[in-house]
């Protein structure tokens, strides 16, 4: 919700108010706990949304300092639809390219949940491209 809603406080609120960077506070206006105006136009320091996207959605997680080791665990959730079928919760595809001190990491995944019988196989594709600076990786395939 923090990324998509357009009401205060959220990243969507910033976008709806023409933010091009992370503001000093949610409202974009001075208050007693923040510097005086203008509080807009700051470089993006916290990376909260971007980090959530590459770690939780795309599935790339550092497991050692400097991304020397990583895990790849896509956030794929399939549940019963209550009528004998299955439905996907969340995105059906994600991809990311991430610049790290170990080198660039590229990941992508997609899933297809067919309509019909629960016995019909669910198809998914996963791809992870690692630089030489990554010593090892753990790849977690969802069991659906």
């Amino acid at each position: 919700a923090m990324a998509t809603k357009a009401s205060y406080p959220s990243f969507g609120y910033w976008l709806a108010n023409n933010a091009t960077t992370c503001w000093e506070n949610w409202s974009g206006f001075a208050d007693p706990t923040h510097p005086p105006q203008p509080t807009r136009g700051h470089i993006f320091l916290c990376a909260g949304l971007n980090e959530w996207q590459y770690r939780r959605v795309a599935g790339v997680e550092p497991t050692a300092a400097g991304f020397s080791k990583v895990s790849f665990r896509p956030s794929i959730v399939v549940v019963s639809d209550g009528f004998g079928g299955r439905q996907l919760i969340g995105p059906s595809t994600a991809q990311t390219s991430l610049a790290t001190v170990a080198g660039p990491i590229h990941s992508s995944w997609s899933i297809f949940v067919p309509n019909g019988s629960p016995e019909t196989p669910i198809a998914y594709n996963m791809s992870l491209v690692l630089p030489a600076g990554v010593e090892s990786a753990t790849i977690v395939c969802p069991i659906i």
Side-chain angles (χ1 to χ4, degrees):
M2 288 294 289
T4 58
K5 71 178 188 173
S7 60
Y8 172 87
S10 70
F11 295 112
Y13 175 81
W14 286 346
L15 293 173
N17 287 278
N18 301 315
T20 57
T21 61
C22 178
W23 291 347
E24 184 72 23
N25 60 21
W26 284 113
S27 69
F29 299 101
D31 67 40
T33 64
H34 291 88
Q37 285 185 298
T39 62
R40 302 174 182 211
H42 298 282
I43 60 172
F44 195 78
L45 301 174
C46 47
L49 181 59
N50 291 338
E51 183 177 7
W52 171 78
Q53 288 177 324
Y54 76 75
R55 285 184 180 215
R56 301 295 175 243
V57 179
V60 177
E61 179 83 30
T63 56
F67 284 84
S68 61
K69 297 180 182 179
V70 299
S71 73
F72 180 48
R73 180 187 309 252
S75 296
I76 299 173
V77 180
V78 177
V79 298
S80 169
D81 66 3
F83 300 101
R86 298 165 292 187
Q87 72 179 35
L88 177 67
I89 303 297
S92 61
T93 185
Q95 65 182 25
T96 192
S97 292
L98 181 63
T100 74
V101 294
I105 295 176
H106 306 283
S107 77
S108 65
W109 62 264
S110 63
I111 185 168
F112 174 71
V113 180
N115 291 328
S117 169
E119 288 78 36
T120 305
I122 294 174
Y124 62 87
N125 295 306
M126 297 169 50
S127 171
L128 181 63
V129 179
L130 300 172
V134 173
E135 298 169 9
S136 68
T138 302
I139 299 174
V140 180
C141 298
I143 299 174
I144 302 172

